[in-house]
Amino acid sequence: MEIAVIVGVGVILVCIIIGTTIALVTLARKAQSGDALSEQIRSIAGMFVVVTAVAALLTVAAWGVQASGKGTEQTVTVLTSAFTAVTSITTAYLGIRAASNTARRAIDRQNRGAEDGGATRVPTSNPPH
């Protein structure tokens, strides 16, 4: 019975992967490089990869716990490894996403400064006399 649940979760994951891939390909065909839709596609695709990886790891961990039987040491080892992998993947994604957003804001700020004629205003604590 337990193996049937794991296989069922695997089948559901494959269906989700196929459906999301089809949706992303359809959106990518409509999007042009650099527009808001392509940025949304990148965001969705990145999150999709992270969620899929985490779901796959959890499925494998569930299988590992089931296969290890009643040995608590083996179960703890499997769950610790799965937790470490999930944490690493999630932290890497969020770190890369934060760096990307920061870089994009800096470039946008720089482009706005260039559109204003290159004049940048430096805030001062003392108003001019």
Side-chain angles (χ1 to χ4, degrees):
M1 178 68 177
E2 293 172 7
I3 196 75
V5 171
I6 294 171
V7 170
V9 169
V11 169
I12 291 170
L13 285 175
V14 169
C15 292
I16 290 171
I17 290 169
I18 291 171
T20 306
T21 303
I22 291 170
L24 288 173
V25 168
T26 304
L27 285 173
R29 288 184 180 164
K30 292 180 181 180
Q32 295 180 5
S33 179
D35 67 352
L37 184 58
S38 65
E39 292 298 322
Q40 288 177 345
I41 291 171
R42 282 190 212 133
S43 264
I44 292 169
M47 183 59 76
F48 170 69
V49 168
V50 170
V51 168
T52 303
V54 168
L57 280 169
L58 293 178
T59 302
V60 170
W63 176 78
V65 167
Q66 188 269 335
S68 68
K70 298 190 187 282
T72 57
E73 288 182 21
Q74 292 175 343
T75 302
V76 169
T77 302
V78 168
L79 291 177
T80 301
S81 299
F83 180 75
T84 302
V86 167
T87 303
S88 298
I89 289 171
T90 306
T91 303
Y93 171 75
L94 293 175
I96 291 168
R97 190 75 189 145
S100 173
N101 289 343
T102 301
R104 185 172 301 115
R105 275 190 236 119
I107 290 170
D108 288 345
R109 224 178 273 141
Q110 184 179 15
N111 288 342
R112 275 186 280 147
E115 290 172 359
D116 293 342
T120 58
R121 297 182 185 198
V122 178
T124 59
S125 58
N126 299 336
H129 296 281

